[in-house]
Amino acid sequence: MLTIGKISDAAGVKVPTIRYYEEIGLLPEAERSAGNQRLYGQKAQERLTFIRNARELGFPLDAIRDLLSLSDRPDQSCAAADAIASAQLAAVEARIARLTALKAELERMLVQCAGGMIADCRVIEVLGDHAKCHADHAPTGHLTEVAG
Amino acid sequence: MLTIGKISDAAGVKVPTIRYYEEIGLLPEAERSAGNQRLYGQKAQERLTFIRNARELGFPLDAIRDLLSLSDRPDQSCAAADAIASAQLAAVEARIARLTALKAELERMLVQCAGGMIADCRVIEVLGDHAKCHADHAPTGHLTEVAG
DNA sequence: TCTAATCTCTCTAGTAACTAGAGGTGCAAG
DNA sequence: CTTGCACCTCTAGTTACTAGAGAGATTAGA
């Protein structure tokens, strides 16, 4: 039986994150030692590793929850898991396309900003009036793209 | 003078978002009508458009705050704005690289999942034991990549 | 065996960037 | 004048955690 710190190291997931996963029901409630500390066995560690890998591949926790419930019933068709992964793939592709467009835009801005004064700065200017950019690129509606 | 709904439409930023921007100090406090409703002029609308464009290009609000304070002093060198935009470009490029790797991984998973049972499903298996994947890809430490 | 250092516990609050909803008021058209 | 939409404030929820306080558990060394 491993303490939380050990599976944290083993699975590469931080201690508070593990407790958080338990809290939201992604991990079952851990056994406790006499002194109330969490104890984990092999199965828990595998489950945590699964979660970590899926997170690394960009799956949101809800999708992971679904995948876990699928993997708990190994006799069923693979189709549902396939659907989740496919949706994830499509989302990733969409993000790549979007980011590639942003990259081009940023490069254009920067090329034109050659050490002048703010008054003539293309970075500022382009952001103030995007019409000065090239015309229509997809109007996005929700602005949830975020810098890493 | 325009009401909040009008500049919302004009700038393409939702009404609650505008109030939020005011609350966090990205927009100055708006004038009010006799009946306590917010009123906006040309300048506020331009500022909001600037924010919207920058958000669309993936700038975080903190960076936008910096850019706005730069654009308020047009006599200074463009270097700071350039630096912010460059950092943003680098962040975007890093995200693209990461997502491209994820895409390859997901595609590999899916190719091998050809309608079998969960017990043999590569999607589940790969997530359970990433060693079954190809070896080392960048160990990321923080798992903040999210599906769109 | 004692003690000091390191874990671990719970709980609360904070992060980014909003979104949603409740319950109430302003305003313009018919 | 009333109907109905737009607006107001405030609170709480979202995702996936992270940080910190204050207290108890465990373990390694003297």
Side-chain angles (χ1 to χ4, degrees), chain A residues 3-5 19 32 36-38:
Chain A
T3 59
I4 198 168
R19 289 196 276 251
R32 299 300 182 112
N36 198 33
Q37 303 198 347
R38 287 174 181 82

Side-chain angles (χ1 to χ4, degrees), chain A residues 34-47:
Chain A
N36 198 33
Q37 303 198 347
R38 287 174 181 82
L39 295 176
Y40 299 91
Q42 179 78 17
K43 267 188 69 176
Q45 201 195 126
E46 279 165 18
R47 199 175 175 95

Side-chain angles (χ1 to χ4, degrees), chain A residues 74-115:
Chain A
D75 303 349
Q76 299 193 276
S77 159
C78 184
D82 188 292
I84 294 169
S86 295
Q88 182 57 20
L89 177 58
V92 167
E93 281 170 344
R95 288 169 75 77
I96 289 172
R98 181 150 164 63
L99 286 169
T100 302
L102 299 185
K103 176 162 130 64
E105 206 69 70
L106 287 166
E107 278 167 348
R108 276 174 18 87
M109 280 167 60
L110 280 165
V111 162
Q112 292 174 308
C113 174

Side-chain angles (χ1 to χ4, degrees), chain B:
Chain B
M1 286 301 199
L2 303 169
T3 57
I4 198 169
K6 308 292 179 183
I7 57 156
S8 168
D9 291 347
V13 177
K14 289 186 192 144
V15 167
T17 304
I18 297 171
R19 290 196 275 250
Y20 168 73
Y21 286 163
E22 179 180 316
E23 190 189 320
I24 65 171
L26 268 190
L27 293 175
E29 296 198 8
E31 288 177 56
R32 299 298 182 114
S33 73
N36 197 33
Q37 302 198 347
R38 288 175 181 81
L39 294 176
Y40 298 91
Q42 180 77 18
K43 268 188 69 176
Q45 200 195 127
E46 279 164 17
R47 199 174 175 92
L48 187 54
T49 302
F50 183 102
I51 296 170
R52 185 244 155 104
N53 289 332
R55 285 296 296 129
E56 228 167 68
L57 286 172
F59 288 85
L61 291 184
D62 270 1
I64 295 173
R65 205 185 293 272
D66 290 346
L67 287 169
L68 281 167
S69 75
L70 289 173
S71 78
D72 290 341
R73 278 166 285 131
D75 303 351
Q76 299 195 277
S77 159
C78 184
D82 188 293
I84 294 168
S86 295
Q88 181 57 20
L89 177 58
V92 167
E93 281 170 344
R95 289 168 73 76
I96 289 172
R98 183 151 163 62
L99 286 168
T100 302
L102 298 186
K103 175 161 128 66
E105 207 69 69
L106 286 166
E107 279 166 347
R108 276 173 19 85
M109 280 166 60
L110 281 165
V111 160
Q112 295 173 305
C113 174
M117 293 290 110
I118 288 283
D120 308 307
C121 178
R122 280 321 202 121
V123 174
I124 299 288
E125 191 181 344
V126 166
L127 292 175
D129 181 359
H130 215 185
K132 281 178 182 140
C133 227
H134 65 93
D136 63 342
H137 59 164
T140 52
H142 68 109
L143 308 174
T144 50
E145 200 67 66
V146 156

Side-chain angles (χ1 to χ4, degrees), chain A residues 41-94:
Chain A
Q42 179 78 17
K43 267 188 69 176
Q45 201 195 126
E46 279 165 18
R47 199 175 175 95
L48 188 53
T49 302
F50 183 101
I51 296 171
R52 185 244 156 102
N53 289 331
R55 285 295 296 129
E56 226 167 71
L57 286 171
F59 289 86
L61 291 184
D62 269 3
I64 296 173
R65 205 185 293 273
D66 290 346
L67 287 169
L68 281 168
S69 74
L70 290 172
S71 77
D72 290 341
R73 278 167 283 129
D75 303 349
Q76 299 193 276
S77 159
C78 184
D82 188 292
I84 294 169
S86 295
Q88 182 57 20
L89 177 58
V92 167
E93 281 170 344

